[in-house]
Amino acid sequence: MAWLYLVFAGLEEVVAVMAMKYIGKGRKAIPITIMIVGFAFSFFCLSQAMQTLPPGVAYAVWAGIGTVGITLAGLLWFKEKYELPQFISLGLLIAGIIGLKLTV
Amino acid sequence: MNWLLIGIAALLEIVWASSLKYADSLLDWFLVITLIAVSFLLLIRAYKTIPVAIAYAVFVGLGTVGTYLVGIFLGEPFSIYQIAFLLMILSGIAGMKLTTGTKKKNLQRGEQ
């Protein structure tokens, strides 16, 4: 159940960040609502997962799902172009966050 | 310019993320929520020229590193492994900064 919460938390984070992108594009009320509800729900699910999983593990998985999901959203939904050095840097960053949170 | 916005957004994130642990009055929570809102507004600005995954990852990465350093400063223990992972995050951030321009071409198709 805790893992299910974590997956929901990660997906909600992706949705909320996608909504943020739309706020910058001009549309306002609907994306702002989706963003606030999305982050609130995401943090709620994360805190639920932390009740049973170690907080470091929960945060690492949440950040991993979120960042990978947002990269996919950027590529597939917003049609942004990323190059190899950017993927390598992104990989380093995600691995660093996961490692740090697992050892804290 | 937009990298600067991400930097400021991340600094604010460090403040609110670190204070989550200590906030207990209504005023504390009001301040935390205001800081969250301002840091997100800056991030939204940055999305105009920096691809969404890069901007968000740098924001989260800087926030993680900063919150961790504040934790150490406040007396939490740390280890050599954690410092290594921290350097890994920082090199990832530097790599993204160096390989990502703030040119419109990054977003051409997405921006319409």
Side-chain angles (χ1 to χ4, degrees), chain B residues 13-31:
Chain B
E13 185 197 5
I14 296 166
V15 177
W16 64 254
S18 304
S19 2
L20 281 179
K21 214 169 170 179
Y22 305 100
D24 49 10
S25 74
L26 209 59
L27 179 67
D28 291 350
W29 282 107
F30 177 76
L31 288 174

Side-chain angles (χ1 to χ4, degrees), chain B residues 26-84:
Chain B
L26 209 59
L27 179 67
D28 291 350
W29 282 107
F30 177 76
L31 288 174
V32 166
I33 289 166
T34 309
L35 284 175
I36 293 177
V38 175
S39 69
F40 278 17
L41 283 173
L42 294 171
L43 194 57
I44 289 165
R45 268 296 154 100
Y47 283 165
K48 288 188 175 173
T49 54
I50 298 173
V52 65
I54 306 288
Y56 191 72
V58 169
F59 172 74
V60 171
L62 283 176
T64 306
V65 169
T67 316
Y68 174 70
L69 291 177
V70 169
I72 292 177
F73 185 73
L74 294 178
E76 278 171 35
F78 63 97
S79 75
I80 190 77
Y81 292 111
Q82 291 163 10
I83 303 293

Side-chain angles (χ1 to χ4, degrees), chain A residues 15-59:
Chain A
V15 170
V17 175
M18 287 171 76
M20 282 173 98
K21 173 85 180 169
Y22 277 103
I23 299 170
K25 280 182 167 184
R27 273 166 272 182
K28 294 275 185 274
I30 295 172
I32 287 176
T33 313
I34 295 177
M35 180 192 81
I36 294 174
V37 173
F39 273 116
F41 192 59
S42 180
F43 283 124
F44 171 75
C45 289
L46 180 61
S47 67
Q48 287 301 306
M50 283 177 175
Q51 304 290 318
T52 42
L53 296 170
V57 175
Y59 186 93

Side-chain angles (χ1 to χ4, degrees), chain A residues 1-98:
Chain A
M1 193 59 197
W3 288 100
L4 202 62
Y5 269 125
L6 259 189
V7 173
F8 274 129
L11 294 179
E12 273 303 313
E13 187 194 6
V14 175
V15 170
V17 175
M18 287 171 76
M20 282 173 98
K21 173 85 180 169
Y22 277 103
I23 299 170
K25 280 182 167 184
R27 273 166 272 182
K28 294 275 185 274
I30 295 172
I32 287 176
T33 313
I34 295 177
M35 180 192 81
I36 294 174
V37 173
F39 273 116
F41 192 59
S42 180
F43 283 124
F44 171 75
C45 289
L46 180 61
S47 67
Q48 287 301 306
M50 283 177 175
Q51 304 290 318
T52 42
L53 296 170
V57 175
Y59 186 93
V61 173
W62 175 77
I65 295 176
T67 324
V68 172
I70 289 151
T71 310
L72 289 176
L75 281 171
L76 303 174
W77 187 269
F78 294 115
K79 309 277 188 223
E80 292 176 345
K81 296 263 194 294
Y82 301 100
E83 279 151 30
L84 186 62
Q86 292 175 318
F87 279 116
I88 296 172
S89 309
L90 202 59
L92 268 176
L93 200 158
I94 297 171
I97 292 180
I98 292 175

